[in-house]
PDB file of all heavy atoms in Angstrom:
ATOM      1  N   ALA A 627      30.220  58.880 -48.552  1.00 31.00           N
ATOM      2  CA  ALA A 627      31.485  58.570 -47.911  1.00 31.00           C
ATOM      3  C   ALA A 627      32.220  59.840 -47.517  1.00 31.00           C
ATOM      4  O   ALA A 627      33.004  59.867 -46.570  1.00 31.00           O
ATOM      5  CB  ALA A 627      32.356  57.726 -48.842  1.00 31.00           C
ATOM      6  N   THR A 650      17.910  63.325 -61.651  1.00 51.00           N
ATOM      7  CA  THR A 650      17.238  62.145 -62.171  1.00 51.00           C
ATOM      8  C   THR A 650      16.711  61.353 -60.995  1.00 51.00           C
ATOM      9  O   THR A 650      17.068  61.591 -59.845  1.00 51.00           O
ATOM     10  CB  THR A 650      18.193  61.253 -62.994  1.00 51.00           C
ATOM     11  OG1 THR A 650      19.075  60.565 -62.090  1.00 51.00           O
ATOM     12  CG2 THR A 650      19.002  62.057 -63.983  1.00 51.00           C
ATOM     13  N   THR A 839     -19.721  50.360 -50.294  1.00 96.00           N
ATOM     14  CA  THR A 839     -20.189  50.616 -51.654  1.00 96.00           C
ATOM     15  C   THR A 839     -21.057  49.445 -52.100  1.00 96.00           C
ATOM     16  O   THR A 839     -20.995  48.354 -51.521  1.00 96.00           O
ATOM     17  CB  THR A 839     -19.020  50.786 -52.641  1.00 96.00           C
ATOM     18  OG1 THR A 839     -18.271  49.553 -52.704  1.00 96.00           O
ATOM     19  CG2 THR A 839     -18.104  51.912 -52.219  1.00 96.00           C
ATOM     20  N   SER A 986     -29.766  23.852 -37.196  1.00 93.00           N
ATOM     21  CA  SER A 986     -29.854  22.556 -36.515  1.00 93.00           C
ATOM     22  C   SER A 986     -30.209  22.711 -35.048  1.00 93.00           C
ATOM     23  O   SER A 986     -30.619  21.746 -34.398  1.00 93.00           O
ATOM     24  CB  SER A 986     -28.541  21.786 -36.667  1.00 93.00           C
ATOM     25  OG  SER A 986     -27.505  22.373 -35.895  1.00 93.00           O
ATOM     26  N   ASP A 996     -20.005  34.630 -32.208  1.00 98.00           N
ATOM     27  CA  ASP A 996     -18.556  34.856 -32.154  1.00 98.00           C
ATOM     28  C   ASP A 996     -17.912  33.657 -32.833  1.00 98.00           C
ATOM     29  O   ASP A 996     -18.029  32.521 -32.355  1.00 98.00           O
ATOM     30  CB  ASP A 996     -18.100  34.978 -30.699  1.00 98.00           C
ATOM     31  CG  ASP A 996     -16.581  34.980 -30.559  1.00 98.00           C
ATOM     32  OD1 ASP A 996     -15.874  35.140 -31.573  1.00 98.00           O
ATOM     33  OD2 ASP A 996     -16.098  34.808 -29.420  1.00 98.00           O
ATOM     34  N   GLN A1038      -2.155  30.613 -33.571  1.00 98.00           N
ATOM     35  CA  GLN A1038      -3.144  30.161 -32.601  1.00 98.00           C
ATOM     36  C   GLN A1038      -4.543  30.330 -33.157  1.00 98.00           C
ATOM     37  O   GLN A1038      -4.855  31.347 -33.782  1.00 98.00           O
ATOM     38  CB  GLN A1038      -3.004  30.946 -31.289  1.00 98.00           C
ATOM     39  CG  GLN A1038      -3.927  30.462 -30.181  1.00 98.00           C
ATOM     40  CD  GLN A1038      -3.680  31.205 -28.881  1.00 98.00           C
ATOM     41  OE1 GLN A1038      -3.086  32.270 -28.861  1.00 98.00           O
ATOM     42  NE2 GLN A1038      -4.124  30.635 -27.778  1.00 98.00           N
ATOM     43  N   TRP A1075       0.389  26.334 -32.489  1.00 96.00           N
ATOM     44  CA  TRP A1075       1.492  25.639 -33.136  1.00 96.00           C
ATOM     45  C   TRP A1075       2.636  26.616 -33.371  1.00 96.00           C
ATOM     46  O   TRP A1075       2.420  27.783 -33.692  1.00 96.00           O
ATOM     47  CB  TRP A1075       1.037  25.059 -34.475  1.00 96.00           C
ATOM     48  CG  TRP A1075      -0.173  24.190 -34.362  1.00 96.00           C
ATOM     49  CD1 TRP A1075      -0.203  22.847 -34.131  1.00 96.00           C
ATOM     50  CD2 TRP A1075      -1.545  24.595 -34.471  1.00 96.00           C
ATOM     51  NE1 TRP A1075      -1.498  22.392 -34.085  1.00 96.00           N
ATOM     52  CE2 TRP A1075      -2.347  23.443 -34.292  1.00 96.00           C
ATOM     53  CE3 TRP A1075      -2.179  25.815 -34.697  1.00 96.00           C
ATOM     54  CZ2 TRP A1075      -3.730  23.472 -34.328  1.00 96.00           C
ATOM     55  CZ3 TRP A1075      -3.565  25.864 -34.740  1.00 96.00           C
ATOM     56  CH2 TRP A1075      -4.326  24.704 -34.559  1.00 96.00           C
ATOM     57  N   ALA A1099      26.214  36.362 -52.181  1.00 96.00           N
ATOM     58  CA  ALA A1099      25.579  36.192 -50.877  1.00 96.00           C
ATOM     59  C   ALA A1099      25.220  34.731 -50.682  1.00 96.00           C
ATOM     60  O   ALA A1099      24.898  34.019 -51.643  1.00 96.00           O
ATOM     61  CB  ALA A1099      24.328  37.058 -50.765  1.00 96.00           C
ATOM     62  N   THR A1111      17.949  24.604 -45.284  1.00 94.00           N
ATOM     63  CA  THR A1111      18.049  25.000 -46.679  1.00 94.00           C
ATOM     64  C   THR A1111      19.229  25.951 -46.834  1.00 94.00           C
ATOM     65  O   THR A1111      19.562  26.701 -45.909  1.00 94.00           O
ATOM     66  CB  THR A1111      16.747  25.674 -47.158  1.00 94.00           C
ATOM     67  OG1 THR A1111      16.884  26.069 -48.515  1.00 94.00           O
ATOM     68  CG2 THR A1111      16.417  26.890 -46.320  1.00 94.00           C
ATOM     69  N   THR A1123      29.443  53.146 -69.740  1.00 95.00           N
ATOM     70  CA  THR A1123      29.926  54.518 -69.595  1.00 95.00           C
ATOM     71  C   THR A1123      29.574  54.935 -68.173  1.00 95.00           C
ATOM     72  O   THR A1123      28.853  54.209 -67.467  1.00 95.00           O
ATOM     73  CB  THR A1123      29.246  55.473 -70.604  1.00 95.00           C
ATOM     74  OG1 THR A1123      27.898  55.705 -70.179  1.00 95.00           O
ATOM     75  CG2 THR A1123      29.254  54.895 -72.017  1.00 95.00           C
ATOM     76  N   SER A1163     -17.432  23.713 -47.967  1.00 75.00           N
ATOM     77  CA  SER A1163     -16.143  23.107 -48.308  1.00 75.00           C
ATOM     78  C   SER A1163     -15.249  23.074 -47.081  1.00 75.00           C
ATOM     79  O   SER A1163     -15.217  24.030 -46.298  1.00 75.00           O
ATOM     80  CB  SER A1163     -15.451  23.900 -49.430  1.00 75.00           C
ATOM     81  OG  SER A1163     -16.235  23.920 -50.594  1.00 75.00           O
ATOM     82  N   GLY A1192      19.629  43.448 -66.829  1.00 96.00           N
ATOM     83  CA  GLY A1192      19.051  44.762 -67.017  1.00 96.00           C
ATOM     84  C   GLY A1192      20.029  45.787 -67.533  1.00 96.00           C
ATOM     85  O   GLY A1192      21.258  45.619 -67.451  1.00 96.00           O
ATOM     86  N   MET A1319      -1.238  67.125 -61.639  1.00 97.00           N
ATOM     87  CA  MET A1319      -0.846  65.731 -61.834  1.00 97.00           C
ATOM     88  C   MET A1319      -1.880  65.017 -62.690  1.00 97.00           C
ATOM     89  O   MET A1319      -3.088  65.173 -62.496  1.00 97.00           O
ATOM     90  CB  MET A1319      -0.711  65.013 -60.487  1.00 97.00           C
ATOM     91  CG  MET A1319      -0.085  63.622 -60.563  1.00 97.00           C
ATOM     92  SD  MET A1319      -1.254  62.287 -60.983  1.00 97.00           S
ATOM     93  CE  MET A1319      -2.259  62.194 -59.516  1.00 97.00           C
TER      94      MET A1319
END
Side-chain angles (χ1 to χ4, degrees):
T650 74
T839 63
S986 71
D996 170 13
Q1038 185 176 18
W1075 306 271
T1111 179
T1123 74
S1163 300
M1319 190 276 291

